[in-house]
């Protein structure tokens, strides 16, 4: 069993590259915390978390014409005609990506485990509802509910959608976990809501030296298998 501690370190590899990891150990049973956090619900991101990442966000920015800033927030300030055209371009790119959608490895076993413990599963994405529906058509287990796309405003990193789900579940945010692959959207939204956070960095996109203390997740993982292990070893469910 892998128990992941909430500490960052940086390991040198060769002379010019580095690898970021959380300090981990395979034998922490004697060092376990006296108390483990109780959770009753898990709210997942979709793209890059429940599904293998396929969206090319650099190409999306190029085609829409947004070089910097949160692309959805920038577009929201444009005149209505320009905003509509930009959103149409984004939706076209998202629709093209649907053909390549694949479930993230270990997703089914993780969700089956949560279901067996009666832990609620929700979904919050900056993608559209049509993409959520497509994902659910591929997913063999009961759907995520509630499952909110960007039609629910304001979208992440605002915590509104997460708090809305917690209210629907009648579960305090402190008893929920947010799992996602983005620090600036998923982790920040989860932290603002008061939930525990797990960063899924399956693409090895983050270096610890680049992450501000205010953005650091409670747990860092490289796969849903590791997320599964964290739920078994670090939480009471």
């Amino acid at each position: 069993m892998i128990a992941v501690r909430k500490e960052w370190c940086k390991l040198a590899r060769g002379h010019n590259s580095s690898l970021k990891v959380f300090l981990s150990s395979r034998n922490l049973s004697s060092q376990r915390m006296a108390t483990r956090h109780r959770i009753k619900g898990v709210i997942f991101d979709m793209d890059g978390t429940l599904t293998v990442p396929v969206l090319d966000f650099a190409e999306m920015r190029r085609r829409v014409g947004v070089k910097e800033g949160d692309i959805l927030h920038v577009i929201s300030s444009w005149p209505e005609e320009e905003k509509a055209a930009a959103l149409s371009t984004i939706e076209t790119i998202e629709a093209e990506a649907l053909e390549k959608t694949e479930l993230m490895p270990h997703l089914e076993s993780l969700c089956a485990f949560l279901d067996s413990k009666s832990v609620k599963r929700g979904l919050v994405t900056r993608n559209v509802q049509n993409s959520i529906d497509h994902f659910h058509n591929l997913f063999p287990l009961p759907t995520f509910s509630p499952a909110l796309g960007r039609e629910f405003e304001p979208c992440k990193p605002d915590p509104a959608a997460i708090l809305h789900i917690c209210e629907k579940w009648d579960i305090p945010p402190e008893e929920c976990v947010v799992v996602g692959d983005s620090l600036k959207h998923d982790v920040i939204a989860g932290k603002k809501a008061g939930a525990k956070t797990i960063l899924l960095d399956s693409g090895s996109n983050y270096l610890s030296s680049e992450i501000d203390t205010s953005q650091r997740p409670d747990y860092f993982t490289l796969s849903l298998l590791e997320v599964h292990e964290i739920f078994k070893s670090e939480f009471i469910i």
Side-chain angles (χ1 to χ4, degrees):
M1 178 179 292
I2 302 171
V4 184
R5 298 173 60 193
K6 298 178 285 183
E7 302 177 50
W8 291 88
C9 70
K10 190 162 142 181
L11 301 179
R13 178 185 288 171
H15 296 287
N16 300 314
S17 64
S18 60
L19 171 69
K20 81 291 176 237
V21 297
F22 268 91
L23 293 174
S24 64
S25 169
R26 297 182 182 273
N27 294 292
L28 292 180
S29 58
S30 63
Q31 305 173 35
R32 295 297 300 280
M33 297 180 293
T35 59
R36 295 158 64 195
H37 197 79
R38 182 177 297 279
I39 61 164
K40 297 180 180 178
V42 183
I43 300 171
F44 292 88
D45 173 51
M46 187 173 71
D47 301 293
T49 303
L50 301 178
T51 62
V52 176
V54 293
L55 284 171
D56 186 340
F57 290 104
E59 175 64 10
M60 183 183 290
R61 285 180 175 276
R62 186 193 70 78
R63 287 171 62 176
V64 172
V66 176
K67 294 182 179 180
E68 297 179 350
D70 185 307
I71 188 169
L72 294 179
H73 288 174
V74 171
I75 290 171
S76 69
S77 66
W78 290 0
E80 286 302 319
E81 186 173 342
E82 294 180 27
K83 179 168 65 175
L87 289 174
S88 177
T89 298
I90 291 175
E91 289 173 10
T92 297
I93 294 170
E94 291 169 337
E96 293 168 351
L98 291 182
E99 300 177 3
K100 305 174 184 177
T101 301
E102 295 181 33
L103 300 181
M104 189 68 83
H106 309 292
L107 173 61
E108 187 174 347
S109 59
L110 168 60
C111 291
F113 169 75
L114 295 175
D115 291 351
S116 73
K117 301 294 185 179
S118 299
V119 175
K120 295 182 181 296
R121 294 186 280 108
L123 187 163
V124 175
T125 177
R126 286 160 57 94
N127 210 317
V128 292
Q129 188 65 45
N130 184 54
S131 295
I132 296 175
D133 295 341
H134 182 77
F135 160 72
H136 276 153
N137 287 336
L138 298 176
F139 187 61
L141 297 179
T143 59
F144 292 73
S145 181
L148 305 177
R150 66 169 173 265
E151 293 86 354
F152 185 98
E153 296 179 328
C155 59
K156 296 180 295 187
D158 193 284
I162 293 170
L163 294 173
H164 174 78
I165 291 177
C166 291
E167 183 177 1
K168 285 287 186 181
W169 286 344
D170 193 23
I171 296 174
E174 295 79 12
E175 294 183 3
C176 290
V177 177
V178 173
V179 182
D181 68 321
S182 171
L183 284 173
K184 64 182 180 180
H185 297 142
D186 306 314
V187 172
I188 291 299
K191 290 172 76 73
K192 286 181 177 178
K196 292 293 183 181
T197 56
I198 299 177
L199 177 69
L200 173 60
D201 188 20
S202 62
S204 298
N205 296 312
Y206 295 104
L207 287 171
S208 61
S209 59
E210 298 172 349
I211 300 176
D212 185 84
T213 302
S214 64
Q215 293 183 328
R216 289 184 180 175
D218 293 292
Y219 297 93
F220 173 92
T221 64
L222 298 177
S223 70
L224 287 183
L225 180 61
E226 292 185 2
V227 173
H228 191 162
E229 291 295 338
I230 285 175
F231 282 129
K232 290 195 294 185
S233 64
E234 299 296 310
F235 294 106
I236 298 173
I237 57 179

